[in-house]
Amino acid sequence: MITHRNISIFFIFLLLVLFLLSLYTAINFWWFVFIVLIWIGINAFGSARISSNYHVKAFCNNPSETEKKMALTFDDGPSEFTLEVLELLKKYNAKATFFCIGKNIEKHPEILQKIISEGHLVGNHSYSHSKFFDFYHEDKVVDELRKTDQLLEKFTSKKINFFRPPYGVTTPSIRRALKVTGHKVIGWNIRSLDGGIKNQDLILSRIKKRVSPGGIVLLHDTAPHSVLVLEQFLQFLQQNNYEVVSVEELLNLNAYEIERG
């Protein structure tokens, strides 16, 4: 497996060899620049792609699942649109996992309560969902996760195990923070892009063609077009005999841990 540590060791070794060679023969300075740029490029790609496991192990699907089972996940709520999502999930007898932002829990605690009371799971999606989250120091990441956990645990009465990093970006600081908090990272292998795209046909086509047993779909419960896509997608899954299960069931992982006194 290609990891941040392995890549760093390789490129540091490569630069060291190049430096030692430059003591005995003329080495063009641009070779150093070229190697550093490749190193930066690999780091950027690995950090941005959650399924790469570059910094942390992320559970993005269950490749061993042979039955027609999939998981739906929703990011960035709770919001007023979460209520419409819940109605659709109830209509199609589907269970989902909601990765919630702490500041939105504070705005809509009653909606979070409804999510849980209707049998869905919740996970941590940071407190602020800041655009600069991936630049945060380890201590700041730990603070965000613990703050959101406290808000969620008021309703679950159990320790939160699942975390999804904002934008799916992972970093060394996030890796170190997770060693402190103990969260498991939940990713996806079917990204709807409904957070940026509003064309319902385009979003629906994108996720339908990626459907396969054991998949995890990323949607948002924060906009009307996502709700409309969800209903059409649930119809499609029903027509194709897919069962929508929780991430917990699909991955055989516990979403919560009962606190031991």
Side-chain angles (χ1 to χ4, degrees):
M1 181 188 298
I2 296 175
T3 65
H4 177 254
R5 182 174 181 272
N6 293 338
I7 287 294
S8 296
I9 291 171
F10 173 77
F11 276 96
I12 289 170
F13 175 76
L14 191 60
L15 288 169
L16 182 59
V17 168
L18 204 61
F19 172 73
L20 292 173
L21 284 174
S22 71
L23 298 177
Y24 300 97
T25 185
I27 302 288
N28 193 305
F29 169 76
W30 287 106
W31 277 110
F32 290 91
V33 174
F34 179 67
I35 290 170
V36 169
L37 287 175
I38 292 176
W39 188 3
I40 291 171
I42 292 173
N43 276 329
F45 179 82
S47 298
R49 192 175 180 85
I50 197 167
S51 60
S52 70
N53 295 325
Y54 189 65
H55 293 290
V56 300
K57 165 65 178 173
F59 298 89
C60 297
N61 68 323
N62 181 354
S64 64
E65 180 60 71
T66 55
E67 296 181 26
K68 285 189 169 184
K69 292 184 177 182
M70 294 187 64
L72 287 178
T73 63
F74 296 90
D75 284 9
D76 296 0
S79 78
E80 58 270 26
F81 297 104
T82 306
L83 297 173
E84 297 179 59
V85 168
L86 290 172
E87 285 303 310
L88 287 173
L89 293 173
K90 184 186 293 183
K91 178 180 177 181
Y92 289 90
N93 192 31
K95 295 302 179 187
T97 305
F98 292 80
F99 289 93
C100 303
I101 297 173
K103 62 182 183 181
N104 289 341
I105 297 171
E106 291 175 335
K107 291 178 185 175
H108 304 287
E110 74 290 348
I111 297 179
L112 182 68
Q113 179 63 65
K114 189 172 176 63
I115 290 171
I116 293 168
S117 66
E118 295 193 1
H120 304 288
L121 300 177
V122 293
N124 194 318
H125 196 41
S126 82
Y127 177 79
S128 65
H129 202 285
S130 168
K131 293 179 181 178
F132 305 104
F133 188 85
D134 43 310
F135 295 105
Y136 283 173
H137 184 269
E138 167 194 344
D139 294 341
K140 176 71 170 171
V141 176
V142 169
D143 181 63
E144 287 242 343
L145 266 62
R146 285 180 169 166
K147 200 171 179 179
T148 304
D149 272 357
Q150 287 173 2
L151 291 165
L152 290 167
E153 288 165 13
K154 288 178 183 177
F155 299 90
T156 62
S157 300
K158 299 174 185 176
K159 183 181 182 299
I160 303 299
N161 283 341
F162 290 168
F163 168 64
R164 176 171 284 170
Y167 313 105
V169 174
T170 58
T171 65
S173 291
I174 292 173
R175 183 191 71 238
R176 291 190 292 269
L178 292 173
K179 284 186 177 179
V180 175
T181 65
H183 290 87
K184 290 181 173 64
V185 174
I186 306 298
W188 60 83
N189 68 333
I190 305 173
R191 188 171 195 167
S192 66
L193 296 179
D194 64 329
I197 299 172
K198 293 188 177 180
N199 186 312
Q200 296 167 41
D201 292 335
L202 188 61
I203 297 168
L204 187 62
S205 173
R206 177 182 172 82
I207 56 179
K208 280 168 62 175
K209 68 184 181 183
R210 288 169 169 78
V211 165
S212 63
I216 298 177
V217 183
L218 165 60
L219 288 160
H220 292 81
D221 54 328
T222 54
H225 67 274
S226 295
V227 176
L228 294 171
V229 167
L230 175 62
E231 177 150 34
Q232 295 175 75
F233 186 55
L234 287 169
Q235 288 173 353
F236 170 80
L237 292 176
Q238 188 179 71
Q239 290 164 3
N240 288 272
N241 301 312
Y242 269 88
E243 181 184 359
V244 180
V245 299
S246 70
V247 165
E248 189 176 57
E249 180 179 338
L250 186 75
L251 299 176
N252 194 29
L253 294 173
N254 292 324
Y256 314 127
E257 179 182 318
I258 299 174
E259 297 268 24
R260 292 175 175 84

